[in-house]
Amino acid sequence: MSDIIQVKPKDVIERILSLELVRVTERAAVASALLRGHGDEKGADKAAVDAMRRELNKMPIDGTIVIGEGERDEAPMLFIGEKVGNGTGPKVDIAVDPLEGTTLCAKDMPGSIAVMAMASAGSLLNAPDVYMDKIAIGPGYPDGVVDLDAGVEENLNALARAKGVKPRELTALVLDRPRHAGIIEAIRKVGASIRIITDGDVAGVIFTTNPLETGIDIYLGSGGAPEGVLAAAALRCVGGQMQGRLILDTEAKRERAFHMGVTDPTKKYRMEELASGDVIVSATGVTDGSLLQGVKFRGNVITTETIIYRSLNGTVRRIHGEHRQMSKFNLD
């Protein structure tokens, strides 16, 4: 007789919650995909938010949005501090970006995704919706090989030495923003290549985890703090290094951050401080991209592609969904 594998009830619950997260991001992705190419960024974002909120509130969790699309006065966005779930399960932190790349979706350009992370209460950084300076690399390097406080040239040279290549053989990914002109100039000076993206820095950070496939060695620059926490959560699941610092450049921002528990406005957060504990991350493609295929509407079938990460065991799963029950997407 074969051995019977004993599975703890807690593990069963967590595995079920992993699948529930997939359903949440699938619903958000399909809802926003209906507005691809319509030029309506707010409409696509609202569709994703409404679908994500609806599915989150069905889950057996006592959840709190700690990283969201705004704060309480900005509802109907999933605001920071909002309670989600039916209240019957574990207390969890939730970080969401219902539609990362709203412009990409509105213009039907590559790389838009619906993404969220979940961890036990107190595990995800609770911060205001502000910008964050970020640096990230993939796994396999000595701890501290790059540092947010070091210059671009110093970081690229250090990474090149750790990788055993010349700096010109590296590729850095940077968001296409005027504020990054200095970073881009410094990268060019070192001789490294640059891949510039218009939106989507969650996926951009994830690209560093597999440079052989993506061609990306390092992420540099500033972007949204919500995306920073989500990216750190995903990176923790597969390995790598990331640092982030909130950009609290006004008294109002510093005051908001203080009320959310940020006592040091200049603190440099390590990846493990942005997202600790057992973290689960789910991302579903909205438009086709390098990370995920987008939603496809094919007659009576909707297809989706989702990637789900879990930090506890380093598991990464890709789920190709074929959906035939249209009513679950509230398409009317």
Side-chain angles (χ1 to χ4, degrees), residues 204-249:
V205 171
I206 294 173
F207 286 164
T208 66
T209 65
N210 191 359
L212 290 177
E213 183 175 321
T214 65
I216 301 301
D217 297 290
I218 186 169
Y219 177 96
L220 294 163
S222 61
E227 290 85 352
V229 174
L230 283 162
L235 206 60
R236 271 211 56 231
C237 298
V238 292
Q241 300 176 41
M242 180 175 174
Q243 294 176 355
R245 177 180 285 117
L246 298 171
I247 300 177
L248 303 172
D249 51 3

Side-chain angles (χ1 to χ4, degrees), residues 49 53 68-80 82 129 256:
V49 168
R53 175 182 281 122
E69 288 215 311
E71 292 164 58
R72 183 174 297 274
D73 59 349
E74 297 179 29
M77 300 304 179
L78 279 157
F79 57 83
I80 297 171
E82 181 173 353
D129 187 7
R256 280 161 52 201

Side-chain angles (χ1 to χ4, degrees), residues 273-290:
E273 294 173 304
L274 294 169
S276 61
D278 182 13
V279 182
I280 306 169
V281 181
S282 179
T284 302
V286 177
T287 58
D288 289 341
S290 300

